[in-house]
Amino acid sequence: MSWELILTGLVFGWCLYYEVRRRRYKEEKQRKEMNRSAGSLPKGNWGWPFIGETLDFIACGYSSRPVSFMDKRKSLYGEVFKTHILGRPIIVSTDPDVNKVVLQNCGSVFIPCYPKSITELLGKSSILQMNGGLQKRLHALIGGFLRSPQLKARITRDIESSVKLALLAWKDPSQCPIIFLQEETKRITFEVLVRVLMSVGPGQEMNFVKREFEEFIKGLICLPIKLPGTRLHKSLKAKERLLKMVRKIVEDRKMAMERTEDKGLPNDAVDVLLRDTGESNEKQERLPLDFISGNIVEMMIPGEDSVPMVMTLAVKYLSDSPLALARLVDENMELKRNKAGSCEEYAWTDYVSLAFTQNVISETLRMANIINAVWRKALKDVEIKGYLIPKGWCVLASFSSVHMDEGNYDNPYQFNPWRWEKTAGGSSVNSNTFTPFGGGQRLCPGLELSRLEISIFLHHLVTTYRWVADEDDIVTFPTVKMKRKLPITIMPIDD
Ligand code: HEM
């Protein structure tokens, strides 16, 4: 037997011994924790040494029913269970009431808990992982700006022009009539996002932001090793280059503001953050420029992929549901005719008051589960509905299992926008059982903007083209994507 084999055997044996000791220690600790609390640790299974139940978790993620991992354990152990995935013991909640408590106690009892590669890339003062007063301040500033009617009125024109430009290019007969929708929607929404955050328009600067940002986010889910040549290292370098550029935009804007003492409406998120002086007038505290630049870059993460994926999946679901598509086309054609008759421009309120279109968006958000869960860490022992979540443990509040549960939605795997009509009863876009945008103090500040963008896209798509979608599958691990980027063949409608 060669010495390499002996060495491998020794290392393996030592790892096994270490893992068995570690588990015994953990179980002992859990027993003590259970004794000191009235609640009890949820039931569940730790799975294999080292890997726990990760393989099954990932395999389900790649299947057509990603919530089957949760469903299997829910039937064995109940709505809240413990498991060991992605290198850590974790409590999974598929119970909407428990999820609500987790979301609403963010900051004081629960804090965000991301895989190591994500925390490395985000930076400590990112809104996505910061807690306390500064997170609240930033959330309120950005949320207030993104929800403001002034921004919506202005951004509606920008979204329309990005969407129309893309749709016009599809008409070019020299181009192949097959469109990869996932790519196209990404291009449209990225331009809108960068404009909202820092007013960069199409051109060289935009191309630079796009290139570096794509390199940056490749490292969000990777091995947390920072050595030169590794994925994480390359992503950190891309972030540095991006930050340098954004910092220059922020500095130039600050100088321009000081010169002109501009007090008009903010144009973008950079303006909003630069102008803020903090809560107290006696002790004015402006946000540092590095903090602003970092957060502008980090706020691109939740907005970049989510909106184009909802647009793409709406088209996918509609392609498979002719009745829903016909109803959507009718509603949008009527608006188009009214607008053409009165020669009026569209207002942002025209788009968001299209009732059936909004139902299509809600139903897509429910089924697509772009953000399928949030991860939190308990700062102290917490008991919710009799379940103990010990201090230091992670909780995964699963949205997808709530959205796909028969107890909450009839025929949950059926795309049915009519279920959102008030008269249908049951479902409500504000209920605990519908949380595509999260909830509590971290409720997505981009919620209304996202719905507006998707409405504008759907309106111009269905009033300009008919399409036939190729066969394609949805993949949900590590993030929601179409396997073939959803190829569609388009046919212009004769006006
Ligand atoms: C369909 C599109 C979107 C979905 C489904 C979505 C979903 C979510 C969810 C579930 C959260 C909560 C995360 C948590 O609790 O840890 C969140 C937070 C956030 N989202 Fe979105 N989002 C979308 C679009 C956007 C857009 C377009 C922007 C920016 C313009 C944005 C900016 C943010 C920010 C900054 C946060 C962090 C808020 C905080 O922690 O205080 N999102 N989003």
Side-chain angles (χ1 to χ4, degrees):
M1 198 191 291
S2 71
W3 64 270
E4 286 104 327
L5 265 179
I6 299 173
L7 193 68
T8 314
L10 280 174
V11 170
F12 183 72
W14 183 83
C15 291
L16 208 63
Y17 168 74
Y18 175 79
E19 177 63 14
V20 171
R21 289 271 319 254
R22 194 180 67 85
R23 278 151 146 274
R24 276 214 194 115
Y25 171 75
K26 197 172 278 157
E27 276 163 22
E28 185 57 31
K29 215 170 136 199
Q30 279 162 15
R31 258 196 297 279
K32 282 186 191 154
E33 273 156 0
M34 278 191 278
N35 289 342
R36 88 182 120 92
S37 165
S40 58
L41 205 64
K43 291 184 206 148
N45 188 356
W46 293 128
W48 295 91
F50 301 116
I51 52 171
E53 300 193 297
T54 307
L55 293 183
D56 198 21
F57 181 70
I58 295 176
C60 292
Y62 276 113
S63 74
S64 57
R65 295 248 166 150
V67 292
S68 55
F69 178 87
M70 319 285 173
D71 286 348
K72 242 186 273 173
R73 284 149 188 86
K74 216 162 95 172
S75 62
L76 288 171
Y77 312 118
E79 298 225 303
V80 180
F81 56 88
K82 68 178 183 205
T83 177
H84 191 286
I85 48 173
L86 307 174
R88 54 168 55 131
I90 192 154
I91 290 173
V92 177
S93 160
T94 65
D95 179 324
D97 300 332
V98 174
N99 288 358
K100 184 179 176 188
V101 177
V102 171
L103 288 172
Q104 296 208 325
N105 287 284
C106 193
S108 54
V109 182
F110 293 105
I111 55 170
C113 128
Y114 293 106
K116 185 118 177 23
S117 53
I118 299 188
T119 49
E120 284 281 353
L121 280 173
L122 284 182
K124 285 197 177 63
S125 49
S126 158
I127 183 170
L128 301 174
Q129 58 178 355
M130 223 179 1
N131 294 291
L134 202 49
Q135 182 268 338
K136 282 191 190 142
R137 175 175 167 194
L138 201 51
H139 188 107
L141 286 170
I142 293 299
F145 171 62
L146 295 181
R147 276 193 305 271
S148 68
Q150 292 86 348
L151 172 80
K152 285 184 195 155
R154 192 161 42 80
I155 205 68
T156 292
R157 299 283 88 87
D158 292 331
I159 303 171
E160 280 173 340
S161 80
S162 288
V163 169
K164 283 181 185 169
L165 213 66
L167 296 190
L168 201 66
W170 298 359
K171 274 191 180 154
D172 182 353
S174 65
Q175 292 203 356
C176 175
I178 292 192
I179 305 295
F180 290 91
L181 201 71
Q182 187 177 298
E183 297 285 282
E184 292 285 317
T185 50
K186 256 189 152 177
R187 208 149 40 80
I188 298 170
T189 54
F190 193 76
E191 284 180 9
V192 173
L193 180 67
V194 175
R195 204 181 275 272
V196 168
L197 292 176
M198 50 184 158
S199 301
V200 168
Q204 273 191 355
E205 250 187 338
M206 172 68 82
N207 295 343
F208 176 86
V209 178
K210 197 166 187 314
R211 200 176 52 244
E212 297 300 345
F213 184 74
E214 275 168 9
E215 185 70 7
F216 164 50
I217 52 165
K218 275 186 201 158
L220 283 178
I221 296 178
C222 71
L223 282 177
I225 303 168
K226 257 196 286 186
L227 296 174
T230 59
R231 180 64 268 159
L232 186 58
H233 190 264
K234 286 183 195 160
S235 290
L236 283 166
K237 286 284 160 204
K239 187 180 180 191
E240 261 174 49
R241 292 189 290 270
L242 202 51
L243 273 176
K244 199 169 155 203
M245 182 209 149
V246 177
R247 164 89 199 201
K248 171 93 178 52
I249 293 178
V250 175
E251 277 170 4
D252 290 352
R253 193 77 63 79
K254 183 166 186 272
M255 277 185 333
M257 264 179 194
E258 283 165 358
R259 267 199 314 273
T260 58
E261 288 188 9
D262 187 5
K263 291 275 182 285
L265 290 169
N267 264 324
D268 55 24
V270 170
D271 276 358
V272 174
L273 301 184
L274 273 175
R275 286 177 194 188
D276 185 59
T277 53
E279 278 173 326
S280 136
N281 283 335
E282 292 141 36
K283 191 176 156 245
Q284 291 203 338
E285 253 187 275
R286 288 194 182 266
L287 296 167
L289 299 196
D290 278 338
F291 175 90
I292 297 180
S293 325
N295 270 289
I296 293 292
V297 170
E298 280 135 13
M299 274 191 268
M300 284 158 67
I301 299 173
E304 186 259 347
D305 205 30
S306 48
V307 183
M309 274 324 295
V310 176
M311 291 172 173
T312 306
L313 286 170
V315 171
K316 160 87 182 137
Y317 296 136
L318 288 165
S319 310
D320 299 338
S321 319
L323 278 180
L325 178 59
R327 175 83 188 84
L328 183 79
V329 172
D330 282 353
E331 183 177 76
N332 281 276
M333 280 297 190
E334 193 185 336
L335 173 65
K336 188 177 180 177
R337 278 192 298 273
N338 289 345
K339 285 288 159 189
S342 63
C343 298
E344 261 178 29
E345 272 195 334
Y346 286 87
W348 67 269
T349 44
D350 291 325
Y351 293 108
V352 295
S353 51
L354 291 169
F356 191 77
T357 308
Q358 291 310 312
N359 293 341
V360 165
I361 297 173
S362 299
E363 185 65 350
T364 305
L365 285 163
R366 180 188 72 79
M367 286 183 68
N369 290 303
I370 307 290
I371 311 280
N372 58 39
V374 293
W375 297 63
R376 299 281 191 258
K377 185 169 157 185
L379 291 176
K380 50 185 164 189
D381 284 358
V382 196
E383 199 196 311
I384 313 170
K385 277 181 112 176
Y387 297 109
L388 170 71
I389 301 168
K391 179 180 172 182
W393 277 55
C394 275
V395 191
L396 185 151
S398 169
F399 301 154
S400 47
S401 29
V402 174
H403 292 167
M404 305 311 281
D405 186 330
E406 266 186 352
N408 303 323
Y409 297 93
D410 294 338
N411 296 324
Y413 287 89
Q414 194 189 342
F415 181 75
N416 175 11
W418 287 273
R419 72 171 88 238
W420 298 96
E421 285 176 356
K422 280 193 184 85
T423 48
S427 317
S428 146
V429 284
N430 295 318
S431 79
N432 284 350
T433 52
F434 185 61
T435 52
F437 292 101
Q441 77 191 44
R442 287 187 183 271
L443 174 73
C444 176
L447 186 162
E448 291 177 27
L449 174 66
S450 305
R451 278 188 169 271
L452 176 62
E453 269 189 89
I454 302 163
S455 315
I456 297 177
F457 170 74
L458 286 177
H459 174 79
H460 292 282
L461 174 70
V462 302
T463 56
T464 319
Y465 289 107
R466 295 283 166 268
W467 70 85
V468 177
D470 275 15
E471 271 297 305
D472 201 355
D473 293 313
I474 303 168
V475 182
T476 58
F477 191 86
T479 54
V480 178
K481 292 271 172 303
M482 295 307 300
K483 222 181 225 166
R484 298 180 52 218
K485 301 180 181 161
L486 193 56
I488 58 169
T489 310
I490 45 115
M491 294 143 272
I493 300 173
D494 298 325
D495 287 306

